[in-house]
Amino acid sequence: MLLLNVSRAILRGAQRLDAHRSRDVHRWVAPTLRELRRRREKMGPEAVLPRSSHSDWNYSAELFAFGKRLQENFDANVLQQAFTHQSFVEQETRKQAAVGIEQPILGVSDNRDLIVQGEQLIVDYVEAFLLTTLPRLPRQFVTAIRESLTSESQLAHISSHLGTKDIIMAAEFPVGDPLLASTLKAIVAALQRSSGEERCFLFVRDFICSALNQRDLYEYLNITDPLLMLQEYCKEKNLANPEPRLIGTLGKNTLLAAYNVGIYSDRKLLGKGYGENQSVAIDEAARDCLRKLFGTEFHMKPVDFTLGLSDCARHLSHGTQRKIESR
């Protein structure tokens, strides 16, 4: 009898344990989840909504936090204007006109003037920085590097990583690369108006020119015929015409052939290169010569990112120089 009572107690405990393990799992859960998933897939992906649609959105706090993230002191009104595009102003004007307001007052201006000013500041500062750090590089290649650093895609990439996407006030959402790039230009102009030329130059140096860090500058030059470019450069600098000469060969008439070609000018070795045939070796030697003449060797000193506005002032445009001197 005692054994029977113990067995019953053990069975009741096992039943309670099984009930505890499955107490929150019901038969209707899996079919319901499958039905909800089917309906969601039928309706398609949800529309992307801006953060301003959230109930806890505070635009003034977002602008304040943006300046503090960058450790810059912006004028609140100028910074708000930098983020306000013409499409947003036109959209709000149409909304107010639709409800009967004949002369709508928005209290904010668009950033068209700031975009134009910021674009000119970026071009001047980047080019002055390049001319200071790469004094031997020809002007045409300085322009090529500057255009690459200030391209729309590059500026949009920088702008998006600064956190401007959710603060931009525009009619379209999500914002595209043109809006992101133009907003960054407006921010540069807003910083110049708020904190002066020196802080504006440091901003451009740190966020735009820093893309040169640990990059082979020769990649920006896009030279299709190195030997022809070398001949033109030597002619421009009144140097003797460069002549490629075969220095040595290895494994000739085999699959692993290697040619060593040197380029001489006035009996001086300018550079040398290797290749699986003579034409490739000549191109590599010409590239080596150009790197040495332009000061962009593989072992060149790193780009100096400690330069200030005073160090690059002599390469700025006359209009920007006059503004700096007047300040």
Side-chain angles (χ1 to χ4, degrees), residues 42-55:
K42 182 179 179 180
M43 293 179 63
E46 297 181 2
V48 181
L49 298 177
R51 285 185 57 194
S52 57
S53 62
H54 297 179
S55 59

Side-chain angles (χ1 to χ4, degrees), residues 231-243:
Q231 292 173 349
E232 294 177 354
Y233 181 84
C234 292
K235 184 178 180 181
E236 180 182 351
K237 298 297 181 180
N238 295 324
L239 300 176
N241 189 43
E243 299 178 0

Side-chain angles (χ1 to χ4, degrees), residues 130-142 144-145 216-237 239 270 286-301 303:
L130 293 175
L131 290 173
T132 305
T133 55
L134 303 171
R136 290 190 290 167
L137 192 64
R139 192 60 176 261
Q140 57 179 346
F141 296 124
V142 171
I145 298 177
D216 182 10
L217 299 180
Y218 196 83
E219 297 176 1
Y220 292 101
L221 306 186
N222 192 22
I223 299 177
T224 56
D225 192 343
L227 183 60
L228 179 60
M229 176 58 64
L230 178 62
Q231 292 173 349
E232 294 177 354
Y233 181 84
C234 292
K235 184 178 180 181
E236 180 182 351
K237 298 297 181 180
L239 300 176
L270 298 181
R287 290 189 178 93
D288 185 54
C289 295
L290 292 176
R291 286 191 176 97
K292 292 180 179 179
L293 293 173
F294 295 165
T296 59
E297 305 95 328
F298 291 118
H299 58 274
M300 65 175 289
K301 292 183 179 180
V303 177

